[in-house]
Structures are given as C-alpha cells and as structure tokens.
C-alpha cells in the first residue's frame, strides 16, 4: 500500500505461483483490510482477480475516476494489460463475514 497523488493505493500484491491457491493472498488481503480501515482505497488488478478483490470490499469503479487513477489505468491498458480499476469506499468495507473462518483465525 502507498499514498500517492492524494490517493491510498493497493499496489503490486502478488503470490509466487508455487504458493498460490493456499490462502496466502486472502490472508494478506485480510491483513490489509485492517490497514485500510475506513479509508477510500483503489487498485488496478488483473481482470480475472475481480472476485478475489471483492472479498475485501473493492468494487469495479463505475463513476468517474480520480485523474491519477484514470491516467494509470489508461497507461496499463495501452500496454495491453488486462486490468480493471477497483475502489473500496467506506460503505463497501466488508464485515469480514465473507472471509473463510480459517483465514480469520490465521490473521495476526
């Protein structure tokens, strides 16, 4: 996560392919939920990960994007990256009921 252009960004979250599908990404996302708290946050995940990020309350952006987010999205799309702009608002913060109980128990 970083603060850039007045926005809170979730950036570059990746799990080594040999360790994927073991709940590591979900645990990281759950921990980041605590760090994000009630703040607005954005990310530009690959389009096949939309449902994964929805677990943490991110939704595809449907309204006009802040300039910095729109510019970065356009840049990624022009390079052929299949990404989507997602945002998490205070209203979309999950109550963590969507997280698997084993994920909740493993959070620090």
């Amino acid at each position: 996560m970083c603060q850039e252009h007045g926005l809170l960004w979730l950036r570059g979250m990746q799990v080594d392919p040999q360790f994927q599908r073991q709940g590591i990404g979900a645990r990281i996302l759950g921990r980041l939920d605590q760090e994000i708290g009630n703040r607005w946050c954005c990310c530009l995940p690959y389009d096949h990960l939309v449902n994964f990020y929805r677990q943490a309350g991110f939704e595809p952006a449907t309204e006009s994007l802040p300039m910095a987010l729109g510019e970065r999205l356009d840049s990624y799309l022009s390079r052929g990256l299949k990404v989507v702009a997602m945002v998490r608002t205070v209203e979309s913060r999950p109550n963590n009921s969507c997280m698997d109980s084993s994920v909740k128990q493993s959070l620090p």
Side-chain angles (χ1 to χ4, degrees):
M1 280 188 355
C2 70
Q3 191 81 28
E4 189 177 311
H5 302 288
L7 303 173
L8 182 62
W9 297 77
L10 178 58
R11 299 200 41 202
M13 192 177 103
Q14 297 179 344
V15 175
D16 189 302
Q18 68 179 332
F19 298 108
Q20 290 176 356
R21 307 250 182 251
Q22 297 178 31
I24 295 168
R27 288 194 303 269
I28 293 170
L29 204 53
R31 178 68 176 113
L32 288 171
D33 172 58
Q34 296 172 8
E35 296 297 322
I36 296 168
N38 287 327
R39 296 179 288 172
W40 187 95
C41 187
C42 61
C43 63
L44 293 168
Y46 290 107
D47 58 6
H48 69 276
L49 295 171
V50 167
N51 287 331
F52 175 76
Y53 283 91
R54 279 189 163 140
Q55 294 176 55
F58 286 90
E59 290 294 333
T62 57
E63 297 180 14
S64 62
L65 301 176
M67 185 183 313
L69 180 58
E71 288 175 352
R72 187 162 297 160
L73 175 64
D74 290 344
S75 170
Y76 289 175
L77 294 173
S78 71
R79 292 187 282 172
L81 297 175
K82 295 179 179 182
V83 297
V84 61
M86 296 186 78
V87 298
R88 178 174 135 162
T89 64
V90 174
E91 295 80 26
S92 65
R93 182 175 189 204
N95 62 10
N96 289 332
S97 62
C98 63
M99 294 178 102
D100 179 286
S101 61
S102 64
V103 172
K104 285 188 210 175
Q105 292 171 1
S106 66
L107 294 175

